[in-house]
Amino acid sequence: MLALTGAPSQADEAKPVVLAQFQLDGADASGAPLTAFFDRTLSGTESYEGNKSAVYFVSQVDPSKILLLEEWESKEDFDAYLNWRVERGDFAELTSLLEADPVLTFDER
């Protein structure tokens, strides 16, 4: 059997993973302030305890619409991380760049 590079092992697949999905509508039509924010801050997300990955995608139709996907070991890890971002002022900065409140959903593997 051929193993794909980067594919999760069977042991990894057995562990629960929480996917936090943010749908974001930027106030700026170009989307540039949002992408600059994430380019600057996602390294802190990726290094936070319990984070497995964090990546954003820009809509091909409307660059002000961004989908942010974060994988976490648990919802508790995500909640601790979000509280950290709120305390630092990062979440307030993010919401100042948005046209509307973010839509956040959680899924589990």
Side-chain angles (χ1 to χ4, degrees), residues 9-53:
S9 69
Q10 288 181 349
D12 286 339
E13 287 180 356
K15 295 177 187 175
V17 173
V18 174
L19 176 67
Q21 177 178 301
F22 293 80
Q23 295 177 2
L24 306 162
D25 292 327
D28 185 292
S30 72
L34 271 180
T35 58
F37 174 83
F38 290 126
D39 289 344
R40 188 178 79 250
T41 61
L42 282 187
S43 63
T45 305
E46 294 171 329
S47 64
Y48 199 89
E49 183 176 346
N51 182 265
K52 299 178 78 56
S53 70

Side-chain angles (χ1 to χ4, degrees), residues 24-94:
L24 306 162
D25 292 327
D28 185 292
S30 72
L34 271 180
T35 58
F37 174 83
F38 290 126
D39 289 344
R40 188 178 79 250
T41 61
L42 282 187
S43 63
T45 305
E46 294 171 329
S47 64
Y48 199 89
E49 183 176 346
N51 182 265
K52 299 178 78 56
S53 70
V55 64
Y56 69 86
F57 297 86
V58 178
S59 169
Q60 290 183 332
V61 176
D62 180 351
S64 71
K65 297 192 182 302
I66 292 183
L67 176 64
L68 172 65
L69 302 175
E70 298 177 355
E71 289 183 302
W72 292 89
E73 290 180 9
S74 70
K75 177 73 166 54
E76 293 76 19
D77 288 333
F78 172 82
D79 290 341
Y81 161 77
L82 187 58
N83 286 333
W84 174 71
R85 285 292 189 196
V86 168
E87 290 169 4
R88 289 174 39 96
D90 296 331
F91 195 74
E93 180 183 353
L94 171 62

